[in-house]
Amino acid sequence: MAKQMTFGVIVGNRGFFPDHLAKTGREEILRVLAAAGIRTISLTPEESKFGAVETPAEARLCGDLFRKHRDEIDGVIVTLPNFGEERGIVDALRLSTLKVPVLVQATPDRAADMKISHRRDSFCGKMSACNNMMQYGIPYSLTAQHTVQPDSGEFRRDLAWFSSVCRVVRGFTNLRVGAIGARPAAFNTVRYSEKLLERSGISVDTLDLSEVLGRIERLKDNDDAVQTKLAAIQKYVSTNNIPIAALIKMSKLGVVIEQWMQQTYCTVSAIQCWTSLEEYFGVVPCTVMSMMSENLFPSACEVDICGTISMHALALASETPSALLDWNNNYGSDPDKCVCFHCSNLPKHFFNDVIMDFQAIIAGTVGKENTFGTCVGRVKAGAMTYVRFSTDDFHGKIRGYVGQGEFTNDPLETFGGAGVVRIPRLQKLLRLICEQGFEHHVAANFSQVASPVYEAAVRYLGWSMYNHDLE
């Protein structure tokens, strides 16, 4: 279910401009937001002149109101139906103590109605408001056009974009990530800095695989939670030819992981797989992880913590499931196409058809009977957004890249979960990945949300990002 957004609204006003525009402007913006299903919190005409913010007293009233609702407000819209009093706007934002995205919207003048009684000057006022927010150190976002009519299609697109930005920022606020098991020894590539993540408000909770297996050992096959999870697995994916003993193991694994995540308030996870669970437990965790990702609780393999937060950003922005993929193979001689693959724990949202099978790669060393649980199928065609976050320990920052492409219907005969991807100027992106030492894993999503993810990461999280679509 889509999250209902709640926005604080600041209506700018400056007395020597036509203040009736503040009255009608407030009514218009609130009407537009309500039509978009957005809940609003703003001063009323009984609390300030026309419900706008102009004077120091009104700024304090607005700040107090927002502070009272700080746990509800996802973002703030500053609307300028006339020039607006920039000091009142920035004081209200500062006094609110909110740390949420801010969108600045200015209503356009009409060329045929520029008399003093109706001239807005919000074109100019927007620059003053932004200048003051910059001085105050308040990060803010802008509409696609410098001025935009609130009831226009362009502003509806601005609202959808801004809502995505706000969901990402809120979703990364006090985020807790579950690291289940140790990083596989063969995967130095997924090493990361817990301390850099912590500085961005992202905490990592760890759970050793010995504890997972110990808790599983205490669960009986007929435990209610185990049987409920078994029924969910069988409903989620075709399990024909999968031994019931393997399905019971997966069910117990799912119960233990989900209970631990609830106890620790972890939203996303990254799990050790290769090859400890296969050798010492006898299944792969792929289906359990796929189900979590399908339900918008992303789960990455090989304890790739930065991979799972990359998945999380896309899931927040689009409100659809994300997957973690390998940049895996060239696709013939086409320089803008490649094969993205995992073995696989992809959510079933990624497939036209999917079945449960065994893990073909690991089976060669640990035996087929110990590798049941992969979600196998061909990735469907559609729009694609990709992103990768990484901790750069040498420069003390979090960095990443983001862009858009598409999954195609090009023929591909292989195993696991795989799809052909087309990305404009792919060779330039691949060179960047190699030159800057990014990991071989990338998060992907059936969406076009590179812009809001980039905005959230750069402007509000303070991360260093490369946007391939802007190059």
Side-chain angles (χ1 to χ4, degrees), residues 18-277:
D19 57 9
H20 65 88
L21 295 174
K23 177 180 183 298
T24 57
R26 177 183 181 277
E27 293 167 352
E28 182 178 33
I29 194 74
L30 295 183
R31 185 169 60 249
V32 167
L33 294 172
I38 295 169
R39 177 173 170 250
T40 56
I41 295 171
S42 65
L43 293 178
T44 68
E46 291 72 35
E47 293 172 311
S48 68
K49 187 177 182 181
F50 302 131
V53 174
E54 182 178 7
T55 68
E58 290 167 345
R60 287 189 171 276
L61 282 173
C62 185
D64 290 343
L65 176 67
F66 286 0
R67 193 164 58 252
K68 180 180 177 182
H69 295 275
R70 61 178 299 111
D71 292 337
E72 305 162 52
I73 294 175
D74 299 298
V76 173
I77 294 180
V78 173
T79 181
L80 298 173
N82 65 25
F83 188 98
E85 175 55 62
E86 66 262 30
R87 182 72 182 271
I89 292 167
V90 292
D91 282 347
L93 288 168
R94 174 179 280 179
L95 292 166
S96 75
T97 69
L98 290 176
K99 302 294 182 183
V100 298
V102 177
L103 180 67
V104 186
Q105 175 270 334
T107 303
D109 277 304
R110 292 178 293 184
D113 196 0
M114 293 281 285
K115 295 179 182 178
I116 189 66
S117 60
H118 285 83
R119 204 176 88 172
R120 298 180 183 275
D121 284 19
S122 54
F123 184 103
C124 182
K126 180 175 179 177
M127 299 175 192
S128 292
C130 291
N131 173 276
N132 275 259
M133 282 188 277
M134 183 67 70
Q135 291 187 45
Y136 277 50
I138 298 170
Y140 55 91
S141 298
L142 303 172
T143 54
Q145 299 293 320
H146 183 66
T147 57
V148 60
Q149 189 64 34
D151 61 359
S152 66
E154 289 84 355
F155 187 61
R156 282 193 293 275
R157 287 189 286 274
D158 288 327
L159 280 178
W161 175 86
F162 183 63
S163 295
S164 291
V165 173
C166 292
R167 285 193 298 270
V168 174
V169 173
R170 179 175 280 275
F172 275 73
T173 301
N174 299 320
L175 176 65
R176 300 187 74 87
V177 183
I180 301 172
R183 171 185 55 79
F187 282 83
N188 274 0
T189 186
V190 299
R191 291 196 284 194
Y192 69 98
S193 168
E194 279 194 49
K195 292 180 180 179
L196 286 179
L197 291 178
E198 195 71 69
R199 183 162 289 186
S200 282
I202 301 170
S203 299
V204 178
D205 276 57
T206 60
L207 180 67
D208 192 83
L209 275 189
S210 64
E211 295 182 65
V212 174
L213 297 178
R215 295 179 191 191
I216 287 173
E217 185 67 26
R218 296 172 182 171
L219 285 173
K220 297 184 182 300
D221 291 359
N222 62 355
D223 185 283
D224 287 346
V226 173
Q227 289 298 310
T228 299
K229 178 59 69 175
L230 174 62
I233 289 173
Q234 292 172 321
K235 182 179 180 180
Y236 179 74
V237 63
S238 173
T239 59
N240 294 336
N241 302 316
I242 305 298
I244 187 65
L247 294 174
I248 291 289
K249 287 182 179 181
M250 292 176 220
S251 302
K252 291 181 177 180
L253 177 65
V255 168
V256 167
I257 289 174
E258 290 182 12
Q259 288 179 347
W260 176 77
M261 290 183 66
Q262 290 170 2
Q263 293 163 0
T264 55
Y265 298 94
C266 287
T267 304
V268 300
S269 61
I271 301 175
Q272 179 182 354
C273 169
W274 200 291
T275 57
S276 180
L277 280 172

Side-chain angles (χ1 to χ4, degrees), residues 327 336 381-387 402-408 420-426 429 443-450 467-469:
W327 295 114
D336 285 340
M384 173 203 193
T385 300
Y386 57 88
V387 69
V402 66
Q404 292 176 175
E406 62 174 331
F407 290 103
T408 75
V420 178
V421 169
R422 190 188 74 82
I423 295 172
R425 307 177 314 284
L426 174 61
L429 176 63
N445 188 281
F446 281 93
S447 63
Q448 292 182 314
V449 293
N467 188 338
H468 188 60
D469 298 337

Side-chain angles (χ1 to χ4, degrees), residues 399-454:
R399 59 180 184 148
Y401 62 85
V402 66
Q404 292 176 175
E406 62 174 331
F407 290 103
T408 75
N409 275 323
D410 289 305
L412 182 66
E413 293 295 329
T414 188
F415 60 95
V420 178
V421 169
R422 190 188 74 82
I423 295 172
R425 307 177 314 284
L426 174 61
Q427 296 303 308
K428 180 177 181 179
L429 176 63
L430 296 174
R431 177 174 288 274
L432 172 105
I433 291 169
C434 290
E435 286 184 342
Q436 297 196 13
F438 281 107
E439 298 81 352
H440 67 290
H441 287 167
V442 65
N445 188 281
F446 281 93
S447 63
Q448 292 182 314
V449 293
S451 176
V453 169
Y454 178 81

